[in-house]
Amino acid sequence: MNRIARLSLIAALFLAPPLRAQADRFPPERTNAALTARLDSLVRGFRGDVGIYVRHLPTGATVAIDADTVFPTASMIKVPILLTLYDQVQQGRLSLDARVPYPDTLTYRYTEATDVVGYMAAGDTLPLRELAFLMLTISDNHASLWIQALVGGGAAVNEWLDGHGFRQTRVNSRTPGREQARSVYGWGQTTPREIAQALVMIREGRAVNPRASAEMYRMLTKSYWDQEALSQIPPTIQAASKQGFVDRSRSEVLLVNAPTGDYVLAVITKNQADTGYEPGNEGSRLLQAVSRAVYEHFNPEDAWRPSR
């Protein structure tokens, strides 16, 4: 490499904007009136509050229904926790291959049958990479709280979010100063637009670095929880996703690698009248209906139909 080429490379490295400041490479948003009308009709009459954000990445076609309103994340907060984890791995503070001992101070009263880590005893160890896998794929709450503590608590996650342009997405649980927000939103809070943008960052390779983004994206395509929005997409289509369920809220964010181009979709409810956990929950049915409508809109030639 000659001297001029070396100087050009150095200038590019130092003068280029950092990853956090770069806008995504897809076309700007433009409201899609037809899809907006269709989703408005699905939301009408819902017993609770609903926020929806959709963007077809190749064209910019967008639907935003209360997309900047703050909603509970429930388990979707695990995406920002994952992003903070990989950022600290990049900085050398943590290693994904290190085996970490289960802390005897980790307590969580709402143990699910799928919370594998909840069956561990103090002193048992797991590689950090496996903890992240459990946090994302089966939404293990014990693994998530463990990783949240390892990265420095909710304050560290919120610092990463603030530094990367997320103004409303925050961890509330076990985070000093966030007690009031926790009483309203629970573990975390976000908007449909912001949680969708987190997946777009990962999809584009702008989250931490391209290699970390690729690892996170692969992990997000392996969700065990596929009964709602994912169930309305053909099983041959890849989608990165994260779901969240609490009594009065249902949520899902997914980035679908569809035949006519990738699209991102986030649907979040709050203040639901239906607080049950049966398959016919009103919020769950809404997630299914919205997901199906969006997929059909962008892929009208696909003859596949869901079996449920």
Side-chain angles (χ1 to χ4, degrees):
M1 183 182 293
N2 61 38
R3 180 173 178 273
I4 294 175
R6 284 198 301 270
L7 290 173
S8 297
L9 176 59
I10 292 170
L13 290 172
F14 282 94
L15 297 179
L19 280 175
R20 71 182 65 182
Q22 293 176 357
D24 63 53
R25 298 185 295 271
F26 298 111
E29 297 181 6
R30 58 178 185 83
T31 300
N32 185 294
L35 184 56
T36 297
R38 187 173 181 186
L39 299 189
D40 268 329
S41 70
L42 294 176
V43 170
R44 196 172 304 123
F46 182 79
R47 297 179 302 160
D49 302 315
V50 181
I52 299 174
Y53 179 77
V54 180
R55 180 153 62 109
H56 188 247
L57 302 186
T59 64
T62 301
V63 176
I65 299 173
D66 285 337
D68 299 308
T69 298
V70 178
F71 287 83
T73 59
S75 286
M76 290 195 305
I77 197 61
K78 295 162 188 177
V79 174
I81 294 173
L82 182 76
L83 287 162
T84 308
L85 169 63
Y86 270 81
D87 184 67
Q88 294 199 5
V89 168
Q90 166 68 15
Q91 296 178 44
R93 297 183 185 180
L94 295 169
S95 169
L96 291 171
D97 297 319
R99 298 188 69 94
V100 289
Y102 186 77
D104 57 9
T105 56
L106 180 58
T107 58
Y108 186 66
R109 60 188 247 190
Y110 301 109
T111 301
E112 305 287 344
T114 52
D115 280 359
V116 176
V117 175
Y119 298 100
M120 294 176 66
D124 289 347
T125 64
L126 267 181
L128 187 50
R129 189 185 305 276
E130 290 185 21
L131 276 183
F133 177 83
L134 293 171
M135 175 175 73
L136 266 291
T137 59
I138 62 173
S139 205
D140 189 308
N141 290 316
H142 286 79
S144 308
L145 288 169
W146 190 354
I147 293 175
Q148 180 176 316
L150 286 170
V151 300
V157 180
N158 292 342
E159 182 179 353
W160 186 94
L161 289 164
D162 189 54
H164 289 77
F166 294 89
R167 297 294 173 249
Q168 301 292 346
T169 306
R170 294 290 183 269
V171 175
N172 297 325
S173 183
R174 306 188 183 203
T175 305
R178 302 291 304 178
E179 292 82 8
Q180 178 58 37
R182 182 180 182 277
S183 70
V184 177
Y185 298 108
W187 192 340
Q189 63 185 63
T190 191
T191 69
R193 191 189 306 271
E194 285 197 358
I195 197 65
Q197 189 57 35
L199 260 63
V200 173
M201 285 181 67
I202 296 171
R203 165 68 178 82
E204 288 196 286
R206 295 186 296 112
V208 183
N209 59 44
R211 180 176 178 178
S213 291
E215 288 189 19
M216 289 186 280
Y217 197 87
R218 288 182 188 278
M219 204 177 297
L220 286 161
T221 65
K222 300 172 181 176
S223 178
Y224 168 77
W225 302 100
D226 63 356
Q227 302 94 333
E228 275 73 33
L230 284 177
S231 72
Q232 305 302 299
I233 297 167
T236 54
I237 302 298
Q238 179 176 265
S241 69
K242 189 69 198 79
Q243 303 72 26
F245 308 141
V246 290
D247 288 354
R248 302 193 68 191
S249 174
R250 297 293 182 274
S251 56
E252 190 158 356
V253 59
L254 57 165
L255 201 153
V256 181
N257 307 132
T260 59
D262 291 2
Y263 66 84
V264 65
L265 164 65
V267 187
I268 315 179
T269 74
K270 63 181 178 180
N271 302 322
Q272 280 191 201
D274 187 348
T275 60
Y277 282 84
E278 295 73 25
N281 177 277
E282 188 177 8
S284 297
R285 286 187 283 110
L286 179 67
L287 293 180
Q288 291 174 340
V290 170
S291 178
R292 187 63 205 160
V294 173
Y295 184 82
E296 288 180 350
H297 180 85
F298 291 126
N299 302 274
E301 303 301 320
D302 192 332
W304 181 86
R305 293 294 180 270
S307 58
R308 55 183 176 184

Short mmCIF file of all heavy atoms in Angstrom, two decimals, residues 6-35:
data_model
loop_
_atom_site.label_atom_id
_atom_site.label_comp_id
_atom_site.label_asym_id
_atom_site.label_seq_id
_atom_site.Cartn_x
_atom_site.Cartn_y
_atom_site.Cartn_z
N ARG A 6 -2.37 4.79 2.26
CA ARG A 6 -2.37 4.64 3.71
C ARG A 6 -3.01 5.85 4.38
O ARG A 6 -3.80 5.72 5.32
CB ARG A 6 -0.93 4.45 4.22
CG ARG A 6 -0.36 3.07 3.98
CD ARG A 6 0.84 2.80 4.87
NE ARG A 6 1.91 3.77 4.65
CZ ARG A 6 2.89 3.62 3.75
NH1 ARG A 6 2.91 2.55 2.98
NH2 ARG A 6 3.83 4.53 3.63
N LEU A 7 -2.66 7.05 3.90
CA LEU A 7 -3.25 8.26 4.48
C LEU A 7 -4.75 8.30 4.25
O LEU A 7 -5.52 8.72 5.13
CB LEU A 7 -2.57 9.49 3.87
CG LEU A 7 -1.12 9.73 4.29
CD1 LEU A 7 -0.54 10.89 3.48
CD2 LEU A 7 -1.03 10.03 5.78
N SER A 8 -5.20 7.85 3.10
CA SER A 8 -6.63 7.85 2.81
C SER A 8 -7.37 6.90 3.74
O SER A 8 -8.46 7.19 4.24
CB SER A 8 -6.87 7.43 1.35
OG SER A 8 -6.30 8.37 0.47
N LEU A 9 -6.75 5.72 4.00
CA LEU A 9 -7.37 4.75 4.89
C LEU A 9 -7.45 5.31 6.31
O LEU A 9 -8.48 5.19 6.98
CB LEU A 9 -6.56 3.45 4.89
CG LEU A 9 -7.03 2.35 5.85
CD1 LEU A 9 -8.47 1.96 5.52
CD2 LEU A 9 -6.11 1.14 5.77
N ILE A 10 -6.36 5.92 6.78
CA ILE A 10 -6.36 6.50 8.13
C ILE A 10 -7.42 7.58 8.25
O ILE A 10 -8.16 7.65 9.24
CB ILE A 10 -4.96 7.06 8.46
CG1 ILE A 10 -3.96 5.92 8.58
CG2 ILE A 10 -5.00 7.88 9.75
CD1 ILE A 10 -2.51 6.37 8.66
N ALA A 11 -7.53 8.43 7.23
CA ALA A 11 -8.54 9.49 7.26
C ALA A 11 -9.93 8.91 7.31
O ALA A 11 -10.81 9.40 8.05
CB ALA A 11 -8.38 10.39 6.02
N ALA A 12 -10.16 7.84 6.54
CA ALA A 12 -11.49 7.23 6.53
C ALA A 12 -11.84 6.67 7.90
O ALA A 12 -12.97 6.78 8.38
CB ALA A 12 -11.55 6.12 5.48
N LEU A 13 -10.83 6.06 8.55
CA LEU A 13 -11.09 5.47 9.86
C LEU A 13 -11.40 6.51 10.91
O LEU A 13 -12.26 6.32 11.77
CB LEU A 13 -9.88 4.63 10.29
CG LEU A 13 -9.64 3.33 9.51
CD1 LEU A 13 -8.31 2.72 9.91
CD2 LEU A 13 -10.77 2.35 9.75
N PHE A 14 -10.69 7.64 10.85
CA PHE A 14 -10.85 8.64 11.90
C PHE A 14 -11.95 9.65 11.62
O PHE A 14 -12.51 10.23 12.54
CB PHE A 14 -9.52 9.37 12.13
CG PHE A 14 -8.55 8.56 12.94
CD1 PHE A 14 -7.61 7.77 12.30
CD2 PHE A 14 -8.59 8.57 14.31
CE1 PHE A 14 -6.72 7.02 13.04
CE2 PHE A 14 -7.70 7.82 15.05
CZ PHE A 14 -6.76 7.03 14.42
N LEU A 15 -12.26 9.86 10.36
CA LEU A 15 -13.25 10.88 10.03
C LEU A 15 -14.64 10.31 9.83
O LEU A 15 -15.63 11.04 9.86
CB LEU A 15 -12.82 11.63 8.76
CG LEU A 15 -11.51 12.41 8.88
CD1 LEU A 15 -11.19 13.08 7.55
CD2 LEU A 15 -11.60 13.44 9.99
N ALA A 16 -14.76 9.00 9.63
CA ALA A 16 -16.08 8.40 9.44
C ALA A 16 -16.87 8.51 10.73
O ALA A 16 -16.30 8.42 11.83
CB ALA A 16 -15.94 6.93 9.05
N PRO A 17 -18.17 8.72 10.65
CA PRO A 17 -18.98 8.79 11.86
C PRO A 17 -19.01 7.44 12.56
O PRO A 17 -18.90 6.40 11.91
CB PRO A 17 -20.38 9.15 11.33
CG PRO A 17 -20.38 8.70 9.91
CD PRO A 17 -18.98 8.87 9.43
N PRO A 18 -19.10 7.42 13.89
CA PRO A 18 -19.17 6.15 14.61
C PRO A 18 -20.44 5.40 14.26
O PRO A 18 -21.40 5.98 13.77
CB PRO A 18 -19.17 6.59 16.08
CG PRO A 18 -19.70 7.98 16.06
CD PRO A 18 -19.22 8.58 14.78
N LEU A 19 -20.45 4.09 14.54
CA LEU A 19 -21.62 3.28 14.21
C LEU A 19 -22.90 3.84 14.80
O LEU A 19 -23.94 3.85 14.18
CB LEU A 19 -21.41 1.84 14.72
CG LEU A 19 -20.53 0.93 13.86
CD1 LEU A 19 -20.32 -0.39 14.58
CD2 LEU A 19 -21.15 0.71 12.50
N ARG A 20 -22.81 4.31 16.04
CA ARG A 20 -24.03 4.76 16.71
C ARG A 20 -24.65 5.98 16.02
O ARG A 20 -25.83 6.26 16.18
CB ARG A 20 -23.73 5.11 18.17
CG ARG A 20 -22.91 6.37 18.37
CD ARG A 20 -22.61 6.61 19.83
NE ARG A 20 -21.76 5.56 20.35
CZ ARG A 20 -21.36 5.50 21.62
NH1 ARG A 20 -21.75 6.43 22.46
NH2 ARG A 20 -20.58 4.53 22.04
N ALA A 21 -23.85 6.73 15.27
CA ALA A 21 -24.36 7.95 14.66
C ALA A 21 -24.84 7.73 13.23
O ALA A 21 -25.44 8.61 12.64
CB ALA A 21 -23.28 9.02 14.67
N GLN A 22 -24.55 6.56 12.65
CA GLN A 22 -24.91 6.33 11.27
C GLN A 22 -26.39 5.97 11.15
O GLN A 22 -26.89 5.12 11.87
CB GLN A 22 -24.07 5.20 10.69
CG GLN A 22 -22.59 5.57 10.56
CD GLN A 22 -21.77 4.41 10.07
OE1 GLN A 22 -22.28 3.33 9.87
NE2 GLN A 22 -20.48 4.63 9.89
N ALA A 23 -27.07 6.61 10.22
CA ALA A 23 -28.46 6.26 9.95
C ALA A 23 -28.48 4.94 9.20
O ALA A 23 -27.52 4.55 8.57
CB ALA A 23 -29.13 7.35 9.13
N ASP A 24 -29.62 4.22 9.27
CA ASP A 24 -29.68 2.97 8.53
C ASP A 24 -29.65 3.26 7.02
O ASP A 24 -29.91 4.36 6.56
CB ASP A 24 -30.89 2.14 8.94
CG ASP A 24 -32.21 2.80 8.63
OD1 ASP A 24 -32.41 3.19 7.46
OD2 ASP A 24 -33.05 2.90 9.53
N ARG A 25 -29.31 2.23 6.27
CA ARG A 25 -29.05 2.41 4.85
C ARG A 25 -30.29 2.23 3.99
O ARG A 25 -30.20 2.26 2.77
CB ARG A 25 -27.97 1.41 4.41
CG ARG A 25 -26.64 1.59 5.11
CD ARG A 25 -25.59 0.65 4.54
NE ARG A 25 -25.92 -0.74 4.81
CZ ARG A 25 -25.55 -1.39 5.91
NH1 ARG A 25 -24.85 -0.76 6.83
NH2 ARG A 25 -25.85 -2.65 6.08
N PHE A 26 -31.42 2.02 4.60
CA PHE A 26 -32.63 1.79 3.85
C PHE A 26 -33.34 3.11 3.52
O PHE A 26 -33.07 4.14 4.14
CB PHE A 26 -33.57 0.86 4.63
CG PHE A 26 -32.97 -0.50 4.86
CD1 PHE A 26 -32.59 -0.91 6.12
CD2 PHE A 26 -32.78 -1.37 3.79
CE1 PHE A 26 -32.04 -2.17 6.33
CE2 PHE A 26 -32.23 -2.63 4.00
CZ PHE A 26 -31.86 -3.03 5.27
N PRO A 27 -34.26 3.09 2.55
CA PRO A 27 -34.99 4.33 2.19
C PRO A 27 -35.75 4.90 3.37
O PRO A 27 -36.11 4.17 4.31
CB PRO A 27 -35.95 3.86 1.09
CG PRO A 27 -35.34 2.62 0.54
CD PRO A 27 -34.64 1.96 1.69
N PRO A 28 -36.01 6.20 3.37
CA PRO A 28 -36.75 6.82 4.48
C PRO A 28 -38.19 6.33 4.54
O PRO A 28 -38.73 5.80 3.56
CB PRO A 28 -36.69 8.32 4.14
CG PRO A 28 -36.46 8.38 2.67
CD PRO A 28 -35.62 7.19 2.34
N GLU A 29 -38.79 6.54 5.70
CA GLU A 29 -40.19 6.12 5.90
C GLU A 29 -41.13 6.88 4.97
O GLU A 29 -40.94 8.07 4.71
CB GLU A 29 -40.61 6.39 7.35
CG GLU A 29 -39.85 5.62 8.39
CD GLU A 29 -40.34 5.93 9.78
OE1 GLU A 29 -41.35 6.68 9.90
OE2 GLU A 29 -39.74 5.46 10.76
N ARG A 30 -42.15 6.19 4.50
CA ARG A 30 -43.27 6.84 3.81
C ARG A 30 -44.53 6.06 4.16
O ARG A 30 -44.58 4.83 4.05
CB ARG A 30 -43.05 6.89 2.30
CG ARG A 30 -42.85 5.55 1.62
CD ARG A 30 -42.68 5.71 0.11
NE ARG A 30 -42.59 4.40 -0.55
CZ ARG A 30 -43.64 3.67 -0.89
NH1 ARG A 30 -44.87 4.09 -0.60
NH2 ARG A 30 -43.48 2.51 -1.50
N THR A 31 -45.52 6.75 4.64
CA THR A 31 -46.73 6.11 5.13
C THR A 31 -47.43 5.32 4.03
O THR A 31 -47.64 5.81 2.92
CB THR A 31 -47.71 7.15 5.70
OG1 THR A 31 -47.05 7.83 6.78
CG2 THR A 31 -48.97 6.49 6.21
N ASN A 32 -47.79 4.08 4.34
CA ASN A 32 -48.55 3.24 3.42
C ASN A 32 -50.02 3.31 3.85
O ASN A 32 -50.41 2.73 4.86
CB ASN A 32 -48.04 1.80 3.47
CG ASN A 32 -48.71 0.91 2.45
OD1 ASN A 32 -49.91 0.64 2.55
ND2 ASN A 32 -47.95 0.44 1.48
N ALA A 33 -50.81 4.03 3.09
CA ALA A 33 -52.20 4.30 3.48
C ALA A 33 -53.05 3.03 3.51
O ALA A 33 -53.88 2.84 4.42
CB ALA A 33 -52.82 5.32 2.53
N ALA A 34 -52.86 2.15 2.53
CA ALA A 34 -53.69 0.94 2.45
C ALA A 34 -53.44 0.03 3.64
O ALA A 34 -54.39 -0.47 4.27
CB ALA A 34 -53.42 0.21 1.15
N LEU A 35 -52.17 -0.21 3.97
CA LEU A 35 -51.88 -1.08 5.11
C LEU A 35 -52.27 -0.42 6.43
O LEU A 35 -52.74 -1.09 7.35
CB LEU A 35 -50.40 -1.46 5.11
CG LEU A 35 -49.97 -2.47 6.19
CD1 LEU A 35 -50.78 -3.75 6.10
CD2 LEU A 35 -48.47 -2.76 6.07
#
